[in-house]
């Protein structure tokens, strides 16, 4: 059995990209693997937020994890800052990382905009992510395409440390990416990825959106002047993105979908997509409402933290021994 680890930042507006790129894999993998799923609150403070807002967002994402089908009997679900070893291992890994490789990270370059006032936390972010993964002797990391570079860095760090401090120090993990959900694009601009922070709320569909918002977002989605439904990422990126979403929810191959809509206009296709999305997201919203304010939610997270901590402690003992750290 493989150990699986992944995490999502706590913000209230988890969207179709997060779901199709990552969360759906989380649910699938728990049937066959040993899964550890984290709400990465320490990553979230790289962009400071009011404490009360962060606390609520942590519970929002925890409730969404359960609402999409993560089963706490099968998977460990916990909050990153409840297990102290994430920060501890992050420092140890920092000492084996290079400023050059960190400054080449695309997300850092985009977010820091080369400014001197760019937060150091943004720079160190991928090292904390590597610590999250390596702490659990992870074999497989289910994520969207945008995390590929961070997974590569995690592998580089693990291999580098193993070379210096002993091959048993870290398990070298692999990323796992979906075929038709790994990169869902913005509905208003199919050349940039669907994102939690884009200003236009119709650029994304959030898992908790009301049917009217889903409908508006899809019907407004940018297409093109070709007027025919083709799977053509280069020339028809808007309709191709919608086909990817359709395909991910129905398990129909993109080419099957193209064949089904031959001779139809965008309107018919979009209307069907609205129905598919509304039908699939309604049960998630219902389950979320039931669990979000329950006591069960906090007890699941506390239990998860204990189980995660037990695994993390073992890894830290081994890592510290190999590095010659501490005397206990
Ligand atoms: P975050 O919170 O930005 O996103 C959570 C997951 O959603 C995926 N994703 C997408 N997939 C497809 N299309 C999109 N438009 C899209 N947008 C986001 C992301 O790839 C991710 O899998 N650094 C991570 C969180 C993290 C983590 C970890 C992940 C911290 N430590 C350890 C795995 C393992 C992040 O910011 O994800």
């Amino acid at each position: 059995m493989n150990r699986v680890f992944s995490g999502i930042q706590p913000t209230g507006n988890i969207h179709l990209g997060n779901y199709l790129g990552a969360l759906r894999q989380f649910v699938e993998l728990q049937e066959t693997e040993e899964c550890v799923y984290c709400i990465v609150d320490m990553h979230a403070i790289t962009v400071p937020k009011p404490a009360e807002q962060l606390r609520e967002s942590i519970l929002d994402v925890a409730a969404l994890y359960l609402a999409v089908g993560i089963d706490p009997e099968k998977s460990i679900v916990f909050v990153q800052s409840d297990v102290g070893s994430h920060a501890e291992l992050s420092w140890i890994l920092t000492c084996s990382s290079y400023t050059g490789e960190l400054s080449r990270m695309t997300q850092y370059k985009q977010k820091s905009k080369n400014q001197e006032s760019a937060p150091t936390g943004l720079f160190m972010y991928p090292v904390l992510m590597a610590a999250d993964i390596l702490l659990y002797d992870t074999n497989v990391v289910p994520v969207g395409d945008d995390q590929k570079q961070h997974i590569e860095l995690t592998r580089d760090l693990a291999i580098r440390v193993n070379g210096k401090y002993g091959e048993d120090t870290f398990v070298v993990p692999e990323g796992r990416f979906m075929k038709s959900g790994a990169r869902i694009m913005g509905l208003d601009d199919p050349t940039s990825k669907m994102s939690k922070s884009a200003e236009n709320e119709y650029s994304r569909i959030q898992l908790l959106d009301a049917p009217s918002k889903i409908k508006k977002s899809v019907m407004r989605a940018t297409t093109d002047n070709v007027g025919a439904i083709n799977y053509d990422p280069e020339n028809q990126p808007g309709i191709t993105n919608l086909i990817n979403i359709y395909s991910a929810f129905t398990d129909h191959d993109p080419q099957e979908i193209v064949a089904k809509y031959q001779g139809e206009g965008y309107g018919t296709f979009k209307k069907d997509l609205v129905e598919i999305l509304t039908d699939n997201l309604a049960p998630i919203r219902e389950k979320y409402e039931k669990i979000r304010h329950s006591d069960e939610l906090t007890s699941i997270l506390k239990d998860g933290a204990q189980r995660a901590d037990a695994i993390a402690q073992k890894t830290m003992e081994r890592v510290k021994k190999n590095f010659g750290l501490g005397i206990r």
Side-chain angles (χ1 to χ4, degrees):
M1 209 188 259
N2 279 319
R3 170 75 52 69
V4 170
F5 179 94
S6 197
I8 294 193
Q9 292 199 53
T11 56
N13 50 3
I14 301 295
H15 53 64
L16 280 187
N18 303 127
Y19 180 62
L20 299 177
L23 279 166
R24 249 178 9 138
Q25 303 198 64
F26 296 8
V27 177
E28 181 194 329
L29 286 164
Q30 70 181 350
E31 299 307 325
T32 50
E33 315 296 343
E34 198 185 333
C35 298
V36 183
Y37 297 128
C38 186
I39 297 144
V40 292
D41 56 345
M42 296 212 296
H43 280 92
I45 60 168
T46 49
V47 179
K49 303 185 172 47
E52 200 43 47
Q53 185 186 322
L54 180 57
R55 214 164 281 133
E56 292 300 315
S57 298
I58 290 171
L59 294 172
D60 290 344
V61 173
L64 262 181
Y65 271 6
L66 304 183
V68 299
I70 293 172
D71 177 353
E73 302 275 320
K74 294 181 182 155
S75 303
I76 297 178
V77 180
F78 76 105
V79 181
Q80 186 183 31
S81 64
D82 283 338
V83 175
S85 312
H86 288 254
E88 190 180 10
L89 184 57
S90 180
W91 174 252
I92 294 173
L93 288 173
T94 294
C95 297
S96 287
S97 66
Y98 305 138
T99 52
E101 63 192 352
L102 296 183
S103 55
R104 279 195 296 277
M105 293 289 120
T106 313
Q107 281 200 0
Y108 171 70
K109 283 199 282 194
Q110 278 168 355
K111 290 188 177 166
S112 69
K113 299 189 186 93
N114 244 336
Q115 287 167 353
E116 283 220 1
S117 59
T120 310
L122 275 184
F123 188 63
M124 300 312 304
Y125 180 112
V127 181
L128 178 59
M129 177 161 163
D132 299 340
I133 296 167
L134 300 178
L135 193 52
Y136 296 93
D137 291 339
T138 303
N139 308 103
V140 178
V141 189
V143 278
D145 248 11
D146 62 333
Q147 298 299 318
K148 250 183 195 160
Q149 208 184 18
H150 292 158
I151 304 287
E152 271 317 302
L153 177 82
T154 304
R155 290 171 53 82
D156 289 348
L157 285 173
I159 292 166
R160 188 178 306 152
V161 168
N162 285 355
K164 270 193 215 150
Y165 296 96
E167 289 299 332
D168 72 331
T169 313
F170 292 127
V171 171
V172 181
E174 306 257 357
R176 184 179 189 271
F177 309 92
M178 296 298 277
K179 236 169 77 193
S180 53
R183 193 168 183 82
I184 301 296
M185 309 309 280
L187 299 179
D188 59 339
D189 172 12
T191 59
S192 64
K193 69 166 186 171
M194 186 176 284
S195 109
K196 293 172 189 162
S197 53
E199 231 167 74
N200 178 3
E201 62 165 330
Y202 296 103
S203 68
R204 61 182 165 263
I205 292 173
Q206 292 158 195
L207 297 191
L208 300 176
D209 277 348
S212 56
K213 158 84 184 336
I214 297 174
K215 187 171 175 192
K216 248 190 192 168
S217 312
V218 173
M219 297 317 279
R220 280 184 184 190
T222 301
T223 47
D224 49 61
N225 302 325
V226 179
I229 294 171
N230 297 310
Y231 192 81
D232 183 348
E234 208 157 293
N235 301 308
Q236 291 182 256
I239 203 73
T240 299
N241 187 39
L242 297 180
I243 293 174
N244 275 331
I245 295 172
Y246 190 122
S247 161
F249 275 104
T250 57
D251 282 337
H252 292 153
D253 199 67
Q255 288 314 329
E256 268 175 64
I257 299 167
V258 170
K260 181 172 174 190
Y261 289 95
Q262 270 325 292
E264 299 281 2
Y266 296 148
T268 311
F269 171 78
K270 280 181 165 181
K271 257 195 221 145
D272 288 355
L273 181 58
V274 169
E275 200 176 308
I276 290 166
L277 289 171
T278 318
D279 288 352
N280 277 277
L281 298 185
I284 296 177
R285 219 174 44 243
E286 274 164 34
K287 195 156 176 214
Y288 173 89
E289 297 299 344
K290 270 195 204 135
I291 194 136
R292 171 62 179 82
H293 294 286
S294 67
D295 294 337
E296 194 193 346
L297 185 61
T298 39
S299 64
I300 287 169
L301 293 174
K302 281 183 190 162
D303 174 62
Q306 271 179 9
R307 289 158 68 199
D309 197 43
I311 304 171
Q313 294 284 348
K314 273 202 191 144
T315 311
M316 286 313 296
E317 260 176 47
R318 187 181 72 228
V319 170
K320 287 170 82 172
K321 181 169 147 274
N322 287 9
F323 273 77
L325 287 163
I327 53 157
R328 280 206 297 163

